Amino acid sequence: MLDVSVSYNRYKFLGHEFLTWLWFAIENDQTGVEKTPQEGTVLHIGNRLVLENRNGPRSESITIQGDDAGLEEAELALKKGAVVTELNLFYKAGEAEWRFTIKAESLHLTSLKCPATGSAESQEELEGAILEKAYLYGQVFSLVDNLFREFIRLRVSEKWSRKTVPQMKLWIQGQG
């Protein structure tokens, strides 16, 4: 059995690949993104994207942030060999909207903003509000689980090296 730190260092690239693939899929492919838990869902890149370029003697971190920020610098960083380390997403299912960030190294979610729930005035309403909030959080975890599952299925298939990687390379080189 592998030591936890050895496993972590050996497989942490998967998070970077997952977030890069997700960005690619959102902008181009959409087949992996369409396999979300609910019909009629929308998934977009949000207002924050962090990349890290470890090529060369020092690492360089590039953060793109803001509601109207363009992704030109992030696209240029990808061309230079940077990897996505954080990706903020906007997820909409029906009228409900979520915003959250996925961190590549651990795939944990941060800055999660769920749709608002009604105010609770009694004990029963409080219990209902808690259950509703838990359900709304579960929707996001289910989405990320399904996206990661789809990525892993693709990543271990022949289609990854034969079709997806060349398409992603063309996408990266065609940026900007």
Side-chain angles (χ1 to χ4, degrees), residues 30-93:
Q30 291 291 321
T31 54
V33 177
E34 289 172 356
K35 295 178 181 173
T36 55
Q38 268 186 344
E39 292 296 318
T41 59
V42 176
L43 189 62
H44 294 290
I45 303 298
N47 61 3
R48 181 175 162 86
L49 180 64
V50 180
L51 297 100
E52 189 173 311
N53 192 343
R54 296 184 187 134
N55 298 334
R58 296 189 318 218
S59 68
E60 173 184 45
S61 181
I62 301 96
T63 302
I64 311 300
Q65 189 167 332
D67 288 332
D68 295 325
L71 297 176
E72 297 84 16
E73 289 181 40
E75 295 163 353
L76 183 60
L78 275 180
K79 280 184 183 179
K80 291 181 176 182
V83 294
V84 180
T85 58
E86 292 181 34
L87 183 63
N88 181 266
L89 295 170
F90 169 78
Y91 169 50
K92 183 174 182 179

Side-chain angles (χ1 to χ4, degrees), residues 15-25 78 82-84 87 168 171-172:
H16 302 293
E17 283 186 6
F18 170 59
L19 293 184
T20 305
W21 168 81
L22 188 54
W23 181 9
F24 165 77
L78 275 180
V83 294
V84 180
L87 183 63
M168 288 177 67
W171 169 71
I172 289 170

Side-chain angles (χ1 to χ4, degrees), residues 112-172:
L112 177 57
K113 292 182 178 55
C114 284
T117 57
S119 62
E121 296 178 16
S122 70
Q123 184 66 26
E124 286 181 7
E125 289 176 352
L126 179 62
E127 289 174 10
I130 291 171
L131 289 173
E132 183 179 7
K133 202 58 144 174
Y135 171 77
L136 292 171
Y137 279 109
Q139 292 291 100
V140 171
F141 293 124
S142 179
L143 169 74
V144 174
D145 286 348
N146 287 339
L147 290 170
F148 191 70
R149 185 177 303 113
E150 191 58 34
F151 166 72
I152 292 297
R153 276 191 194 124
L154 179 63
R155 182 68 175 82
V156 299
S157 73
E158 286 183 24
K159 185 179 176 185
W160 176 258
S161 58
R162 197 171 24 86
K163 184 177 177 187
T164 305
V165 170
Q167 286 177 340
M168 288 177 67
K169 284 181 180 179
L170 286 173
W171 169 71
I172 289 170

